């Protein structure tokens, strides 16, 4: 059943000096991922600053990603929105552009009930014939997709996985225990990938993989192979780097790291703002420690 598994990256969207989408740097970032064994590319997630991309840009970023990947690995496009019609529109465009699957964030801000969440996802699944990955990130959306709701949604054929970033190993385990044969659980928090995989999750949609793809992949492979001693060692080794990626709002730290590594500019769009000097200093210290700069 596992449509999408392994080390998957929520890729950053680089901007040029003019503030526009920097296509050239983006293509190079994708090559860097593929060369380092990343299994799936996820464009236009939270880490890809989907919240501040215009409609046309959103489409262009996804299209560029698909064009650069050229079918070498799957592309799961972030097309979620808190307006169901809008999510369907973005999803249909991604399908037309050749996406392999969709990552659909739980509707944020308008706080639907569990029934509303169920109906939202059921409607998108009915309208867009692509494998769909639900995305539960209560810290950003203001609501949690209950395990019970996920298990209900698991009955829908093209809902294949959930990216769990609730921080609850209990909740993720509940989904695996009750509907693990119908839906995959994917870690949405780098620092929880190891424990979640030990419980049966199939991989991670990672922020850290933007800058350390080979290292994240190694840890995931060790867990996939059931080599938990090795996976634990790598998990603990990467912990400080994972935590650093959230020293300020994601993707500011990871994008700044990529820029220190010479991969793109650090620019983010308002209301995100550049990393504070204290955070930057800390970032440089830790990146040096990991031999990334």
């Amino acid at each position: 059943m596992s449509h999408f598994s392994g080390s998957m990256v929520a890729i950053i969207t680089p901007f040029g000096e003019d503030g526009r989408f920097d296509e050239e740097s983006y293509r190079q970032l994708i090559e860097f991922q593929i060369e380092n064994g990343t299994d799936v590319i996820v464009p236009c997630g939270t880490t890809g600053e989907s919240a501040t991309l215009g409609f046309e840009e959103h489409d262009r970023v996804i299209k560029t990603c698909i064009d650069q990947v050229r079918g070498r690995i799957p592309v799961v496009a972030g097309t979620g929105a808190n307006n169901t019609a809008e999510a369907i529109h973005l999803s249909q465009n991604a399908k037309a552009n050749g996406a392999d699957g969709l990552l659909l964030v739980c509707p944020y801000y308008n706080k639907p009930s569990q029934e509303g969440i169920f109906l939202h996802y059921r409607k998108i699944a009915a309208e867009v014939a692509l494998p769909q990955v639900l995305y539960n990130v209560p810290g950003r959306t203001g609501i949690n997709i209950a395990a019970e709701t996920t298990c209900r949604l698991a009955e829908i054929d093209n809902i294949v996985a959930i990216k769990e970033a609730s921080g609850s190993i209990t909740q993720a385990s509940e989904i695996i225990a009750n509907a693990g044969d119908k839906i995959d659980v994917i870690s949405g928090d780098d620092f929880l990938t190891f424990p979640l995989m030990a419980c049966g999750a199939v991989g991670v949609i990672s922020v850290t993989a933007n800058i350390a793809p080979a290292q994240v992949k190694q840890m995931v492979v060790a867990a996939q192979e059931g080599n938990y001693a090795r996976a634990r060692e790598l998990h603990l080794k990467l912990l400080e780097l994972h935590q650093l990626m959230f020293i300020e709002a994601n993707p500011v730290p990871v994008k700044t790291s990529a820029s220190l590594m010479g991969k793109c500019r650090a620019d983010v769009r308002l209301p995100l703002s550049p990393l504070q000097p204290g955070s930057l200093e800390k970032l440089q210290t830790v990146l040096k420690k990991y031999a990334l700069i």
Side-chain angles (χ1 to χ4, degrees):
M1 181 189 73
S2 66
H3 287 75
F4 310 116
S5 62
S7 181
M8 305 174 258
V9 67
I11 199 160
I12 55 177
T13 305
F15 302 124
E17 220 169 334
D18 56 3
R20 280 191 265 226
F21 170 46
D22 175 0
E23 191 177 311
E24 197 38 55
S25 296
Y26 193 57
R27 290 179 181 274
Q28 286 167 13
L29 287 169
I30 291 166
E31 284 309 307
F32 173 62
Q33 291 300 320
I34 294 175
E35 279 160 24
N36 283 282
T38 295
D39 296 298
V40 177
I41 309 265
V42 182
C44 295
T46 310
T47 311
E49 289 174 78
S50 53
T52 50
L53 292 176
F55 255 150
E56 278 162 30
E57 280 183 312
H58 199 115
D59 282 346
R60 189 179 155 210
V61 172
I62 291 168
K63 206 174 186 161
T64 303
C65 181
I66 293 162
D67 179 64
Q68 188 62 29
V69 170
R70 294 195 310 280
R72 288 174 286 174
I73 56 175
V75 173
V76 175
T79 55
N82 67 340
N83 165 344
T84 308
E86 196 173 289
I88 289 167
H89 176 73
L90 285 168
S91 299
Q92 283 167 338
N93 285 358
K95 184 178 193 296
N97 286 328
D100 299 289
L102 307 170
L103 177 70
L104 300 160
V105 69
C106 179
Y108 39 87
Y109 189 75
N110 38 20
K111 291 199 166 177
S113 64
Q114 292 300 313
E115 185 62 19
I117 294 168
F118 174 77
L119 295 171
H120 169 80
Y121 282 124
R122 187 180 72 177
K123 176 99 170 131
I124 302 169
E127 299 280 341
V128 191
L130 270 185
Q132 310 192 352
V133 180
L134 316 176
Y135 179 16
N136 186 30
V137 58
R140 282 192 181 252
T141 61
I143 40 169
N144 178 48
I145 306 176
E148 193 187 353
T149 305
T150 302
C151 294
R152 277 179 80 194
L153 288 164
E155 299 296 329
I156 299 168
D157 281 347
N158 56 330
I159 293 179
V160 300
I162 181 165
K163 176 183 176 185
E164 262 291 330
S166 61
S168 169
I169 293 177
T170 307
Q171 178 163 286
S173 299
E174 226 176 294
I175 296 163
I176 295 163
N178 297 316
D181 55 337
K182 298 192 183 84
I183 194 165
D184 286 327
V185 169
I186 296 165
S187 171
D189 293 306
D190 276 292
F191 33 82
L192 287 182
T193 304
F194 170 63
L196 285 176
M197 287 187 76
C199 295
V202 300
V204 60
I205 294 177
S206 170
V207 173
T208 307
N210 276 285
I211 56 166
Q215 295 89 321
V216 173
K217 168 85 173 191
Q218 267 181 323
M219 203 277 301
V220 169
V221 168
Q224 281 173 325
E225 289 172 351
N227 185 349
Y228 291 122
R230 174 79 178 131
R232 181 190 309 118
E233 183 193 332
L234 293 164
H235 159 74
L236 295 172
K237 202 172 141 187
L238 283 169
L239 192 61
E240 193 179 3
L241 189 61
H242 293 327
Q243 288 172 309
L244 190 73
M245 292 304 103
F246 294 89
I247 190 170
E248 285 182 26
N250 176 43
V252 181
V254 73
K255 212 175 198 184
T256 308
S257 302
S259 93
L260 291 168
M261 292 166 69
K263 298 198 171 292
C264 63
R265 294 177 65 89
D267 307 51
V268 289
R269 287 182 176 172
L270 285 167
L272 295 180
S273 60
L275 214 55
Q276 297 296 308
S279 302
L280 184 60
E281 229 169 289
K282 208 168 186 176
L283 192 73
Q284 284 167 316
T285 307
V286 177
L287 291 176
K288 279 186 186 126
K289 186 177 151 181
Y290 281 92
L292 291 169
I293 55 170

